[in-house]
Amino acid sequence: MGGNNLSVPLDHAKKTGVLSLQNKKLDKFPEDILNLRRNLRTLDISNNKIDELPEDIGVMQMLRTFKIDENKLGELPKTIGNLGKLEALHLSGNPLMDWPTPIHRCSNLKHLDLSRCRISEISDGIKSLKKLDYICLSNNRLQNIPEGLCELKVVEIDLNCNDIAVIPVGLVKNQSLRVLRLDHNSITCAGIPTDILGKSTISTLSLEGNPIDLRKFRELDGYDKYMERYAATKRKCD
């Protein structure tokens, strides 16, 4: 574990419920963390070299925020689904490649970051995350958006830097969706359903870096209604 003495931050975490072990050159998950299972609410082990989480991670029943960005995880243990109070999970920059299905049992999850994880497909089982309101899947290898994601009440979806060619009309069903980021994909005007512009609640549709003919885009049915929503949101922010 890089020779780090973790006794001081561990003792501090017993009092605060917050443990930050970023940039500690850890190559294994410190087992002593499991002794904090009764009071640890936030755990940040980002920017290390950890390649697996222990099966016992499921005992961390009080954990609400778990940051594991920039490690070497290839998969998640099934027991991570036992983290019933987990609300935020950050896994950016891990070489997962396959969709981490164990997270589907994290029923209270609200914030999910799986950017830069080499993922090529979103599992339809994502629909089980009923409380999710933000998901980031940017910089992956995705080519489509599954129906399961359309069924959620997510407020913001970040799919920048993938290879998606079509926006599914099913996203119209999500009347909570306000921000859809699809910069640097493969979307043309043919891949933008007019109902997404005219009937959805999306007020920020980001499409920079796509092969879109702007003149044709502005002529699409529903474009004016979308711009009304966009302008109204911008006025609130100004």
Side-chain angles (χ1 to χ4, degrees):
M1 293 188 292
N4 288 289
N5 186 344
L6 304 181
S7 59
V8 173
L10 287 169
D11 286 343
H12 185 66
K14 290 178 183 178
K15 303 171 185 176
T16 64
V18 177
L19 178 60
S20 180
L21 297 176
Q22 301 166 276
N23 298 294
K24 295 293 185 181
K25 300 181 180 179
L26 302 172
D27 52 27
K28 292 183 180 179
F29 183 91
E31 296 288 337
D32 288 345
I33 291 177
L34 301 177
N35 296 329
L36 301 172
R37 59 184 176 273
R38 292 186 177 86
N39 68 327
L40 195 64
R41 300 184 310 278
T42 299
L43 174 58
D44 189 345
I45 53 173
S46 300
N47 295 289
N48 285 291
K49 301 177 181 179
I50 298 169
D51 60 6
E52 65 178 352
L53 297 177
E55 288 292 331
D56 289 344
I57 195 68
V59 303
M60 307 297 292
Q61 292 293 305
M62 303 304 293
L63 203 60
R64 294 180 182 274
T65 299
F66 196 3
K67 297 183 178 181
I68 330 171
D69 299 322
E70 304 299 334
N71 275 281
K72 296 185 176 181
L73 298 178
E75 61 181 0
L76 299 181
K78 293 180 180 179
T79 50
I80 203 166
N82 297 338
L83 303 179
K85 294 188 178 181
L86 192 66
E87 296 180 355
L89 180 59
H90 300 252
L91 284 159
S92 177
N94 282 282
L96 293 176
M97 300 188 76
D98 292 327
W99 183 262
T101 55
I103 66 174
H104 294 163
R105 293 193 295 116
C106 298
S107 57
N108 280 305
L109 203 61
K110 297 178 180 179
H111 182 113
L112 177 61
D113 187 348
L114 286 167
S115 58
R116 294 183 298 107
C117 287
R118 308 180 191 176
I119 294 171
S120 59
E121 187 174 359
I122 305 171
S123 169
D124 201 54
I126 194 175
K127 62 187 176 185
S128 65
L129 299 176
K130 304 293 186 184
K131 295 186 179 180
L132 203 64
D133 57 32
Y134 172 84
I135 182 167
C136 182
L137 290 162
S138 64
N139 292 277
N140 278 293
R141 302 169 179 175
L142 302 171
Q143 295 185 336
N144 57 66
I145 303 171
E147 183 63 24
L149 185 55
C150 298
E151 294 180 14
L152 296 175
K153 301 300 181 185
V154 185
V155 176
E156 180 172 348
I157 301 173
D158 186 342
L159 290 162
N160 288 341
C161 301
N162 281 284
D163 194 25
I164 296 166
V166 176
I167 303 174
V169 70
L171 285 174
V172 173
K173 294 185 295 185
N174 179 1
Q175 293 295 295
S176 298
L177 186 59
R178 297 292 185 271
V179 179
L180 179 58
R181 302 190 187 281
L182 284 160
D183 294 340
H184 303 288
N185 276 275
S186 302
I187 298 168
T188 64
C189 286
I192 306 173
T194 55
D195 281 357
I196 288 291
L197 298 174
K199 296 182 179 180
S200 77
T201 54
I202 298 169
S203 56
T204 300
L205 177 59
S206 190
L207 293 168
E208 291 184 16
N210 283 279
I212 293 173
D213 184 317
L214 289 179
R215 181 182 60 80
K216 291 182 179 179
F217 178 56
R218 294 177 182 130
E219 291 174 353
L220 289 175
D221 289 343
Y223 176 79
D224 290 342
K225 288 186 177 180
Y226 163 68
M227 287 306 297
E228 288 175 7
R229 297 193 303 272
Y230 174 80
T233 299
K234 196 170 186 302
R235 283 195 298 270
K236 289 180 182 178
C237 295
D238 290 344

